Amino acid sequence: MSNDEIFAAAYREHYWAVSRYVARRLGGRADEVEEVVAEVFTVAWRRRADLPGSPLPWLYGVARNCLANAVRGYGRRRRLVDRLGNDETAHGRQIVASPDAETPGGWVHEALARLSETDREVLRLTAWEELGIDEVAVALGCGPRAASMRLHRARRRLRAEIDRMGPPRSPATSADATSSKEHGHG
């Protein structure tokens, strides 16, 4: 099979997986998703001779780099708009979420948001993209042992964040716990 045919097969087979990968990381900015995915496959086309036999993890690695560039560009545009005073708040278009609009599993996203980008990425590659440790290593550009250690540490830090965020204790629950300790029941 020629390099062009290998690229075409990778494109057909993995376009939607790469699109989902990018979309989850851009949080619904659809116009940017298309741009980043196009950039990923442009890079893949230019480097089609380098495509590995199992290209998806490699494509995720390329997508990571393209996303980093897109996020930097988005930040620059946002700062420019802010300096020009043409943001949504200047036009009264603020969106306020209602208190009952909490999304299911929102606490998981909140805990994830408290982690470093490196920790978030290794967790997302295993949970969202369902990659094995060898594939995670390819996507991150490191060896399998390093990827395994990064995943282990990220999971530990996520658990710690979730524990820190734990459900607030109601006054009754706290009083009951204190009372049972005072009476030798705890």
Side-chain angles (χ1 to χ4, degrees), residues 167-183:
R169 300 186 85 160
S170 69
T173 306
S174 298
D176 291 344
T178 305
S179 174
S180 63
K181 283 183 183 174
E182 289 171 357
H183 297 297

Side-chain angles (χ1 to χ4, degrees), residues 15-163:
Y15 177 86
W16 290 111
V18 171
S19 293
R20 287 188 301 271
Y21 173 93
V22 171
R24 284 190 285 260
R25 284 153 180 82
L26 286 178
R29 298 191 309 256
D31 54 326
E32 290 184 53
V33 171
E34 291 175 15
E35 287 180 33
V36 171
V37 172
E39 181 62 24
V40 169
F41 283 102
T42 299
V43 170
W45 170 256
R46 277 190 239 127
R47 297 191 51 204
R48 63 192 177 276
D50 300 330
L51 279 173
S54 178
L56 187 59
W58 184 85
L59 289 167
Y60 286 155
V62 172
R64 248 177 98 225
N65 294 332
C66 293
L67 277 164
N69 292 336
V71 167
R72 279 191 297 274
Y74 178 76
R76 283 191 299 271
R77 285 189 303 277
R78 185 74 230 150
R79 286 189 298 278
L80 176 61
V81 168
D82 288 346
R83 278 197 306 269
L84 294 173
N86 191 22
D87 63 359
E88 291 85 15
T89 57
H91 297 288
R93 290 182 288 192
Q94 291 176 312
I95 298 172
V96 179
S98 66
D100 59 344
E102 186 173 324
T103 56
W107 58 273
V108 174
H109 293 286
E110 186 179 336
L112 266 174
R114 294 177 182 201
L115 299 178
S116 71
E117 178 55 37
T118 304
D119 284 349
R120 287 193 305 260
E121 185 61 10
V122 71
L123 291 166
R124 291 184 297 217
L125 284 168
T126 56
W128 291 356
E129 313 315 332
E130 300 177 353
L131 295 185
I133 205 66
D134 289 339
E135 296 168 314
V136 168
V138 171
L140 295 178
C142 64
R145 292 185 75 183
S148 180
M149 184 56 72
R150 287 181 191 181
L151 178 60
H152 172 74
R153 290 177 179 158
R155 284 177 173 160
R156 190 179 64 220
R157 286 190 276 265
L158 179 61
R159 260 191 304 276
E161 282 303 324
I162 290 171
D163 289 346

